[in-house]
Amino acid sequence: MHQRRRRVAAVAVLAGAAVAVWGIGSMLGGSAGKPTTTGFAARLTKIGGTGPGSLLAARSRAEEQAVSRTLAQTPYIVKGGGESKKVALTFDDGPSEFTPQFLEILKREGVPATFFTVGGMYSTFAANATSAQSSGYSIANHTWSHPRMPGLSLGDQASQIDRTTEQIKGLGLPSPRLYRPPYGAFDSNSTGLTSKRGMLLVLWDVDTLDWERPGADAIVYNALSGARNGSIILMHDGGGDRSQTLAALPRIIKGLKQKGFEMVTVEQLLVEDPPRPGETPPAPSQA
Ligand code: ZN
């Protein structure tokens, strides 16, 4: 009897701790100048481990619901609601030979990120994507071969999205709920396909222009001068030589922290700073 009561008490303490972590997670968001030494996912993993019954999985359910709630309002977003000091770093065109170095920096800084991956790259670099997911980062869909989607038939667009989803699922990773079209280019076929699949089309409001390789200083400047509450920041971990982006990343993270921003995944942004109800975001320039 005594043993049993102790066990009940222990479970209650653990549940209390979990609630406390959730509370702290939301309280920390937006406190200016507070260093983000551990990401939300990292804190949950430490307490509950990983796997289907873990707190990380519980967090994912909250994210699933947030994606669905957003999809009920709009098929695509360019940023969060802007109500709190959170931004999402996003990396496109991987997995690549540079991905592990990006992960190393992000892990060292305790910063989560979202990776929009190209299905065709998995044949060479699958391990780099699974490594990102096992760190609690988000793996999203960025087509199979990076075409300009509005030029494709409905069937070809569907194949670009579905092949990549199958590739990601085939590695044991969660089916992606987020999709980003190459070049930010999409049409009504694209949004029809993604909405039908329960996927949210994710654009960005801050373009670092890192793909132009303008030098690390310019990439840092573009990221920091453009960041606002709820910003989604575009960078690339694949598609070419990413050494300038790698050089810029630690300075971008430091600068964002100094400005009081907490970095979150896009899914977390939807949970913690959702787009405002009824607001359909403007499409970005397609230049
Ligand atoms: Zn791309």
Side-chain angles (χ1 to χ4, degrees):
M1 191 63 188
H2 182 64
Q3 279 283 346
R4 191 170 163 200
R5 208 175 287 155
R6 276 175 67 102
R7 209 176 310 147
V8 169
V11 169
V13 166
L14 195 63
V19 169
V21 167
W22 277 97
I24 290 164
S26 37
M27 278 191 300
L28 280 181
S31 34
K34 196 174 284 284
T36 311
T37 48
T38 53
F40 193 53
R43 291 199 293 276
L44 291 176
T45 308
K46 201 171 169 187
I47 289 182
T50 55
S54 72
L55 292 167
L56 193 60
R59 182 193 62 114
S60 293
R61 279 197 292 278
E63 293 175 351
E64 299 269 1
Q65 288 164 359
V67 174
S68 300
R69 261 199 314 273
T70 308
L71 265 174
Q73 295 166 25
T74 175
Y76 66 97
I77 62 162
V78 296
K79 59 183 172 59
E83 297 298 326
S84 66
K85 297 207 75 166
K86 296 184 200 306
V87 296
L89 300 181
T90 64
F91 296 93
D92 288 10
D93 298 356
S96 83
E97 66 268 47
F98 294 94
T99 306
Q101 290 165 267
F102 282 92
L103 292 175
E104 208 178 296
I105 295 169
L106 292 166
K107 281 187 197 169
R108 191 175 69 221
E109 302 289 342
V111 167
T114 306
F115 291 85
F116 288 90
T117 61
V118 175
M121 300 305 292
Y122 279 82
S123 55
T124 317
F125 300 111
N128 294 345
T130 47
S131 161
Q133 171 66 30
S134 68
S135 308
Y137 299 152
S138 170
I139 303 299
N141 187 322
H142 192 44
T143 73
W144 182 261
S145 61
H146 209 272
R148 207 174 177 86
M149 293 287 262
L152 300 186
S153 69
L154 181 66
D156 285 347
Q157 286 202 35
S159 158
Q160 284 284 335
I161 295 168
D162 293 342
R163 274 185 86 184
T164 299
T165 290
E166 289 310 312
Q167 174 71 56
I168 292 170
K169 282 165 65 183
L171 290 164
L173 306 181
S175 186
R177 298 289 307 277
L178 306 180
Y179 163 76
R180 175 174 281 163
Y183 317 104
F186 64 97
D187 57 15
S188 55
N189 278 343
S190 316
T191 47
L193 287 166
T194 48
S195 296
K196 207 168 158 188
R197 286 155 176 73
M199 298 172 85
L200 181 66
L201 196 151
V202 178
L203 301 165
W204 59 86
D205 67 320
V206 178
D207 190 348
T208 62
L209 297 173
D210 65 331
W211 56 275
E212 289 183 339
R213 290 180 219 154
D217 287 351
I219 296 169
V220 172
Y221 176 82
N222 291 339
L224 296 183
S225 64
R228 305 278 181 273
N229 288 359
S231 278
I232 297 175
I233 301 173
L234 172 66
M235 288 180 271
H236 294 80
D237 68 312
D241 181 351
R242 296 295 161 233
S243 46
Q244 289 187 8
T245 312
L246 277 170
L249 185 57
R251 294 164 58 194
I252 290 172
I253 292 171
K254 190 175 173 206
L256 289 171
K257 285 179 177 175
Q258 278 171 353
K259 285 170 179 271
F261 288 112
E262 182 188 3
M263 281 153 271
V264 295
T265 63
V266 172
E267 286 98 331
Q268 286 172 295
L269 189 69
L270 296 175
V271 173
E272 298 172 26
D273 186 23
R276 292 183 201 118
E279 183 184 58
T280 304
S285 80
Q286 309 263 316

